[in-house]
Amino acid sequence: INADVANLIGTGIRPRFLATNERDRKALTEDFLTFANECDADGRTNFDGLLKQAILAAKVDGECLIRIRPRRADSGLRIPIQFQILEIDYLDSSKNGANGNNLIINGIEYDAIGRVIGYYLFAEHPGENTRYRLKRQQSTLIPAASVIHYFNAERPGQGRGFSQLASVIAATR
């Protein structure tokens, strides 16, 4: 899996800007490189590191969530947005049922025509053992526009991903 992830990312993804003059292309490239070093909401890695985390999590767990974290203009960031990679465990998959005209399936809320409205997410990892845990067990609906649900949809209407390791799990047991 690690070799596959390394082959997917390679030396990193670098955009090529189509600005008509060289000065604008250089400015856009500089903006991107600065953003790439500031884009991790947790402050632990850079753009390539986030890609690696997302791809690795999706291969092992079948999916992951990427929170889009808008920041204030005075945050000191050149581009006021950051991303946070979350294990799929943050999704409250126990949430199921109707919510008015909407339907909640495995922690994902859909509208009447099947569009994703949002994701019920825990504020912290449900496996973390902290003294504040009891206060924060409730999940909150996060709008779909603020979350990228990264998984490989292999069939129409599929709402969740499958681990690439699923075929060997039974044999391993």
PDB file of all heavy atoms in Angstrom, residues 79-103:
ATOM      1  N   ILE A  79      -3.428  32.424   1.664  1.00  0.00           N
ATOM      2  CA  ILE A  79      -4.739  32.026   1.162  1.00  0.00           C
ATOM      3  C   ILE A  79      -5.507  31.515   2.383  1.00  0.00           C
ATOM      4  O   ILE A  79      -5.118  30.508   2.983  1.00  0.00           O
ATOM      5  CB  ILE A  79      -4.614  30.947   0.069  1.00  0.00           C
ATOM      6  CG1 ILE A  79      -3.816  31.512  -1.099  1.00  0.00           C
ATOM      7  CG2 ILE A  79      -5.979  30.456  -0.371  1.00  0.00           C
ATOM      8  CD1 ILE A  79      -3.446  30.507  -2.155  1.00  0.00           C
ATOM      9  N   PRO A  80      -6.580  32.204   2.786  1.00  0.00           N
ATOM     10  CA  PRO A  80      -7.239  31.895   4.069  1.00  0.00           C
ATOM     11  C   PRO A  80      -8.144  30.656   4.036  1.00  0.00           C
ATOM     12  O   PRO A  80      -9.346  30.728   4.246  1.00  0.00           O
ATOM     13  CB  PRO A  80      -8.027  33.168   4.358  1.00  0.00           C
ATOM     14  CG  PRO A  80      -8.343  33.717   3.019  1.00  0.00           C
ATOM     15  CD  PRO A  80      -7.163  33.372   2.147  1.00  0.00           C
ATOM     16  N   ILE A  81      -7.527  29.504   3.795  1.00  0.00           N
ATOM     17  CA  ILE A  81      -8.245  28.233   3.850  1.00  0.00           C
ATOM     18  C   ILE A  81      -7.240  27.138   4.197  1.00  0.00           C
ATOM     19  O   ILE A  81      -6.077  27.217   3.805  1.00  0.00           O
ATOM     20  CB  ILE A  81      -8.966  27.935   2.519  1.00  0.00           C
ATOM     21  CG1 ILE A  81      -9.934  26.767   2.679  1.00  0.00           C
ATOM     22  CG2 ILE A  81      -7.981  27.682   1.398  1.00  0.00           C
ATOM     23  CD1 ILE A  81     -10.897  26.613   1.524  1.00  0.00           C
ATOM     24  N   GLN A  82      -7.693  26.183   4.986  1.00  0.00           N
ATOM     25  CA  GLN A  82      -6.861  25.039   5.335  1.00  0.00           C
ATOM     26  C   GLN A  82      -7.698  23.772   5.253  1.00  0.00           C
ATOM     27  O   GLN A  82      -8.933  23.833   5.176  1.00  0.00           O
ATOM     28  CB  GLN A  82      -6.279  25.193   6.747  1.00  0.00           C
ATOM     29  CG  GLN A  82      -5.256  26.308   6.840  1.00  0.00           C
ATOM     30  CD  GLN A  82      -4.658  26.404   8.225  1.00  0.00           C
ATOM     31  OE1 GLN A  82      -5.369  26.452   9.225  1.00  0.00           O
ATOM     32  NE2 GLN A  82      -3.335  26.446   8.289  1.00  0.00           N
ATOM     33  N   PHE A  83      -7.029  22.638   5.257  1.00  0.00           N
ATOM     34  CA  PHE A  83      -7.692  21.343   5.162  1.00  0.00           C
ATOM     35  C   PHE A  83      -7.265  20.467   6.330  1.00  0.00           C
ATOM     36  O   PHE A  83      -6.138  20.546   6.795  1.00  0.00           O
ATOM     37  CB  PHE A  83      -7.338  20.655   3.840  1.00  0.00           C
ATOM     38  CG  PHE A  83      -7.747  21.453   2.643  1.00  0.00           C
ATOM     39  CD1 PHE A  83      -6.834  22.257   1.981  1.00  0.00           C
ATOM     40  CD2 PHE A  83      -9.054  21.416   2.183  1.00  0.00           C
ATOM     41  CE1 PHE A  83      -7.213  23.013   0.888  1.00  0.00           C
ATOM     42  CE2 PHE A  83      -9.446  22.157   1.085  1.00  0.00           C
ATOM     43  CZ  PHE A  83      -8.521  22.958   0.435  1.00  0.00           C
ATOM     44  N   GLN A  84      -8.185  19.622   6.759  1.00  0.00           N
ATOM     45  CA  GLN A  84      -7.910  18.706   7.863  1.00  0.00           C
ATOM     46  C   GLN A  84      -8.347  17.311   7.435  1.00  0.00           C
ATOM     47  O   GLN A  84      -9.520  17.095   7.110  1.00  0.00           O
ATOM     48  CB  GLN A  84      -8.676  19.147   9.104  1.00  0.00           C
ATOM     49  CG  GLN A  84      -8.427  18.304  10.317  1.00  0.00           C
ATOM     50  CD  GLN A  84      -9.234  18.798  11.509  1.00  0.00           C
ATOM     51  OE1 GLN A  84     -10.279  19.424  11.352  1.00  0.00           O
ATOM     52  NE2 GLN A  84      -8.749  18.500  12.701  1.00  0.00           N
ATOM     53  N   ILE A  85      -7.411  16.376   7.425  1.00  0.00           N
ATOM     54  CA  ILE A  85      -7.720  14.987   7.081  1.00  0.00           C
ATOM     55  C   ILE A  85      -8.252  14.309   8.344  1.00  0.00           C
ATOM     56  O   ILE A  85      -7.618  14.350   9.399  1.00  0.00           O
ATOM     57  CB  ILE A  85      -6.471  14.231   6.575  1.00  0.00           C
ATOM     58  CG1 ILE A  85      -5.765  15.002   5.449  1.00  0.00           C
ATOM     59  CG2 ILE A  85      -6.837  12.812   6.141  1.00  0.00           C
ATOM     60  CD1 ILE A  85      -6.561  15.208   4.210  1.00  0.00           C
ATOM     61  N   LEU A  86      -9.415  13.675   8.217  1.00  0.00           N
ATOM     62  CA  LEU A  86     -10.025  12.976   9.345  1.00  0.00           C
ATOM     63  C   LEU A  86     -10.234  11.512   8.985  1.00  0.00           C
ATOM     64  O   LEU A  86     -10.714  11.195   7.898  1.00  0.00           O
ATOM     65  CB  LEU A  86     -11.391  13.583   9.683  1.00  0.00           C
ATOM     66  CG  LEU A  86     -11.414  15.051  10.095  1.00  0.00           C
ATOM     67  CD1 LEU A  86     -12.849  15.528  10.249  1.00  0.00           C
ATOM     68  CD2 LEU A  86     -10.635  15.264  11.379  1.00  0.00           C
ATOM     69  N   GLU A  87      -9.884  10.633   9.921  1.00  0.00           N
ATOM     70  CA  GLU A  87     -10.206   9.222   9.733  1.00  0.00           C
ATOM     71  C   GLU A  87     -11.719   9.092   9.645  1.00  0.00           C
ATOM     72  O   GLU A  87     -12.464   9.891  10.231  1.00  0.00           O
ATOM     73  CB  GLU A  87      -9.699   8.397  10.916  1.00  0.00           C
ATOM     74  CG  GLU A  87      -8.205   8.274  10.981  1.00  0.00           C
ATOM     75  CD  GLU A  87      -7.790   7.431  12.180  1.00  0.00           C
ATOM     76  OE1 GLU A  87      -8.237   7.727  13.306  1.00  0.00           O
ATOM     77  OE2 GLU A  87      -7.038   6.478  11.956  1.00  0.00           O
ATOM     78  N   ILE A  88     -12.186   8.074   8.978  1.00  0.00           N
ATOM     79  CA  ILE A  88     -13.622   7.878   8.813  1.00  0.00           C
ATOM     80  C   ILE A  88     -14.308   7.626  10.155  1.00  0.00           C
ATOM     81  O   ILE A  88     -15.527   7.799  10.277  1.00  0.00           O
ATOM     82  CB  ILE A  88     -13.907   6.757   7.785  1.00  0.00           C
ATOM     83  CG1 ILE A  88     -15.340   6.886   7.260  1.00  0.00           C
ATOM     84  CG2 ILE A  88     -13.611   5.399   8.360  1.00  0.00           C
ATOM     85  CD1 ILE A  88     -15.652   8.160   6.541  1.00  0.00           C
ATOM     86  N   ASP A  89     -13.534   7.304  11.205  1.00  0.00           N
ATOM     87  CA  ASP A  89     -14.099   7.104  12.541  1.00  0.00           C
ATOM     88  C   ASP A  89     -14.797   8.358  13.070  1.00  0.00           C
ATOM     89  O   ASP A  89     -15.643   8.267  13.956  1.00  0.00           O
ATOM     90  CB  ASP A  89     -13.011   6.688  13.529  1.00  0.00           C
ATOM     91  CG  ASP A  89     -12.354   5.372  13.165  1.00  0.00           C
ATOM     92  OD1 ASP A  89     -12.937   4.634  12.334  1.00  0.00           O
ATOM     93  OD2 ASP A  89     -11.283   5.072  13.686  1.00  0.00           O
ATOM     94  N   TYR A  90     -14.437   9.528  12.557  1.00  0.00           N
ATOM     95  CA  TYR A  90     -15.084  10.772  12.976  1.00  0.00           C
ATOM     96  C   TYR A  90     -16.540  10.832  12.524  1.00  0.00           C
ATOM     97  O   TYR A  90     -17.324  11.599  13.069  1.00  0.00           O
ATOM     98  CB  TYR A  90     -14.339  11.985  12.425  1.00  0.00           C
ATOM     99  CG  TYR A  90     -13.130  12.377  13.226  1.00  0.00           C
ATOM    100  CD1 TYR A  90     -11.901  11.753  13.022  1.00  0.00           C
ATOM    101  CD2 TYR A  90     -13.200  13.383  14.182  1.00  0.00           C
ATOM    102  CE1 TYR A  90     -10.786  12.117  13.751  1.00  0.00           C
ATOM    103  CE2 TYR A  90     -12.089  13.755  14.916  1.00  0.00           C
ATOM    104  CZ  TYR A  90     -10.884  13.110  14.699  1.00  0.00           C
ATOM    105  OH  TYR A  90      -9.787  13.471  15.422  1.00  0.00           O
ATOM    106  N   LEU A  91     -16.901  10.054  11.512  1.00  0.00           N
ATOM    107  CA  LEU A  91     -18.277  10.020  11.023  1.00  0.00           C
ATOM    108  C   LEU A  91     -19.127   9.180  11.974  1.00  0.00           C
ATOM    109  O   LEU A  91     -18.794   8.029  12.271  1.00  0.00           O
ATOM    110  CB  LEU A  91     -18.314   9.418   9.609  1.00  0.00           C
ATOM    111  CG  LEU A  91     -19.680   9.364   8.932  1.00  0.00           C
ATOM    112  CD1 LEU A  91     -20.220  10.765   8.681  1.00  0.00           C
ATOM    113  CD2 LEU A  91     -19.562   8.608   7.618  1.00  0.00           C
ATOM    114  N   ASP A  92     -20.211   9.756  12.454  1.00  0.00           N
ATOM    115  CA  ASP A  92     -21.102   9.066  13.383  1.00  0.00           C
ATOM    116  C   ASP A  92     -22.014   8.129  12.585  1.00  0.00           C
ATOM    117  O   ASP A  92     -23.141   8.477  12.249  1.00  0.00           O
ATOM    118  CB  ASP A  92     -21.917  10.083  14.178  1.00  0.00           C
ATOM    119  CG  ASP A  92     -22.795   9.446  15.239  1.00  0.00           C
ATOM    120  OD1 ASP A  92     -22.820   8.202  15.332  1.00  0.00           O
ATOM    121  OD2 ASP A  92     -23.461  10.204  15.976  1.00  0.00           O
ATOM    122  N   SER A  93     -21.511   6.944  12.291  1.00  0.00           N
ATOM    123  CA  SER A  93     -22.263   6.011  11.454  1.00  0.00           C
ATOM    124  C   SER A  93     -23.450   5.394  12.179  1.00  0.00           C
ATOM    125  O   SER A  93     -24.240   4.666  11.572  1.00  0.00           O
ATOM    126  CB  SER A  93     -21.339   4.922  10.904  1.00  0.00           C
ATOM    127  OG  SER A  93     -20.718   4.233  11.962  1.00  0.00           O
ATOM    128  N   SER A  94     -23.620   5.697  13.464  1.00  0.00           N
ATOM    129  CA  SER A  94     -24.795   5.211  14.179  1.00  0.00           C
ATOM    130  C   SER A  94     -26.022   6.072  13.892  1.00  0.00           C
ATOM    131  O   SER A  94     -27.137   5.698  14.249  1.00  0.00           O
ATOM    132  CB  SER A  94     -24.535   5.176  15.687  1.00  0.00           C
ATOM    133  OG  SER A  94     -24.437   6.491  16.208  1.00  0.00           O
ATOM    134  N   LYS A  95     -25.811   7.222  13.255  1.00  0.00           N
ATOM    135  CA  LYS A  95     -26.929   8.113  12.910  1.00  0.00           C
ATOM    136  C   LYS A  95     -27.647   7.550  11.698  1.00  0.00           C
ATOM    137  O   LYS A  95     -27.092   7.472  10.607  1.00  0.00           O
ATOM    138  CB  LYS A  95     -26.429   9.518  12.570  1.00  0.00           C
ATOM    139  CG  LYS A  95     -26.016  10.315  13.754  1.00  0.00           C
ATOM    140  CD  LYS A  95     -27.192  11.090  14.280  1.00  0.00           C
ATOM    141  CE  LYS A  95     -26.680  12.144  15.238  1.00  0.00           C
ATOM    142  NZ  LYS A  95     -27.632  12.518  16.222  1.00  0.00           N
ATOM    143  N   ASN A  96     -28.898   7.155  11.884  1.00  0.00           N
ATOM    144  CA  ASN A  96     -29.732   6.614  10.819  1.00  0.00           C
ATOM    145  C   ASN A  96     -31.173   7.033  11.073  1.00  0.00           C
ATOM    146  O   ASN A  96     -31.580   7.167  12.224  1.00  0.00           O
ATOM    147  CB  ASN A  96     -29.659   5.084  10.769  1.00  0.00           C
ATOM    148  CG  ASN A  96     -28.297   4.591  10.327  1.00  0.00           C
ATOM    149  OD1 ASN A  96     -27.946   4.699   9.170  1.00  0.00           O
ATOM    150  ND2 ASN A  96     -27.528   4.059  11.270  1.00  0.00           N
ATOM    151  N   GLY A  97     -31.933   7.228   9.997  1.00  0.00           N
ATOM    152  CA  GLY A  97     -33.349   7.531  10.152  1.00  0.00           C
ATOM    153  C   GLY A  97     -33.763   8.761   9.377  1.00  0.00           C
ATOM    154  O   GLY A  97     -32.988   9.340   8.610  1.00  0.00           O
ATOM    155  N   ALA A  98     -34.984   9.173   9.604  1.00  0.00           N
ATOM    156  CA  ALA A  98     -35.539  10.333   8.902  1.00  0.00           C
ATOM    157  C   ALA A  98     -35.253  11.603   9.685  1.00  0.00           C
ATOM    158  O   ALA A  98     -35.198  11.602  10.914  1.00  0.00           O
ATOM    159  CB  ALA A  98     -37.035  10.155   8.717  1.00  0.00           C
ATOM    160  N   ASN A  99     -35.065  12.682   8.947  1.00  0.00           N
ATOM    161  CA  ASN A  99     -34.924  14.011   9.521  1.00  0.00           C
ATOM    162  C   ASN A  99     -35.782  14.930   8.659  1.00  0.00           C
ATOM    163  O   ASN A  99     -35.296  15.500   7.689  1.00  0.00           O
ATOM    164  CB  ASN A  99     -33.458  14.453   9.532  1.00  0.00           C
ATOM    165  CG  ASN A  99     -33.272  15.768  10.263  1.00  0.00           C
ATOM    166  OD1 ASN A  99     -34.158  16.242  10.958  1.00  0.00           O
ATOM    167  ND2 ASN A  99     -32.102  16.365  10.092  1.00  0.00           N
ATOM    168  N   GLY A 100     -37.069  15.014   8.977  1.00  0.00           N
ATOM    169  CA  GLY A 100     -38.008  15.730   8.113  1.00  0.00           C
ATOM    170  C   GLY A 100     -38.131  14.973   6.796  1.00  0.00           C
ATOM    171  O   GLY A 100     -38.391  13.769   6.788  1.00  0.00           O
ATOM    172  N   ASN A 101     -37.912  15.666   5.687  1.00  0.00           N
ATOM    173  CA  ASN A 101     -37.943  15.024   4.366  1.00  0.00           C
ATOM    174  C   ASN A 101     -36.606  14.385   4.011  1.00  0.00           C
ATOM    175  O   ASN A 101     -36.497  13.739   2.974  1.00  0.00           O
ATOM    176  CB  ASN A 101     -38.324  16.032   3.276  1.00  0.00           C
ATOM    177  CG  ASN A 101     -39.778  16.438   3.376  1.00  0.00           C
ATOM    178  OD1 ASN A 101     -40.609  15.677   3.850  1.00  0.00           O
ATOM    179  ND2 ASN A 101     -40.076  17.654   2.953  1.00  0.00           N
ATOM    180  N   ASN A 102     -35.607  14.599   4.834  1.00  0.00           N
ATOM    181  CA  ASN A 102     -34.280  14.063   4.572  1.00  0.00           C
ATOM    182  C   ASN A 102     -34.118  12.680   5.194  1.00  0.00           C
ATOM    183  O   ASN A 102     -34.863  12.296   6.086  1.00  0.00           O
ATOM    184  CB  ASN A 102     -33.202  14.997   5.124  1.00  0.00           C
ATOM    185  CG  ASN A 102     -33.202  16.337   4.430  1.00  0.00           C
ATOM    186  OD1 ASN A 102     -33.766  16.489   3.354  1.00  0.00           O
ATOM    187  ND2 ASN A 102     -32.568  17.314   5.037  1.00  0.00           N
ATOM    188  N   LEU A 103     -33.118  11.973   4.715  1.00  0.00           N
ATOM    189  CA  LEU A 103     -32.832  10.630   5.218  1.00  0.00           C
ATOM    190  C   LEU A 103     -31.375  10.580   5.662  1.00  0.00           C
ATOM    191  O   LEU A 103     -30.480  11.034   4.930  1.00  0.00           O
ATOM    192  CB  LEU A 103     -33.086   9.601   4.114  1.00  0.00           C
ATOM    193  CG  LEU A 103     -32.918   8.131   4.490  1.00  0.00           C
ATOM    194  CD1 LEU A 103     -33.898   7.746   5.597  1.00  0.00           C
ATOM    195  CD2 LEU A 103     -33.141   7.256   3.265  1.00  0.00           C
TER     196      LEU A 103
END
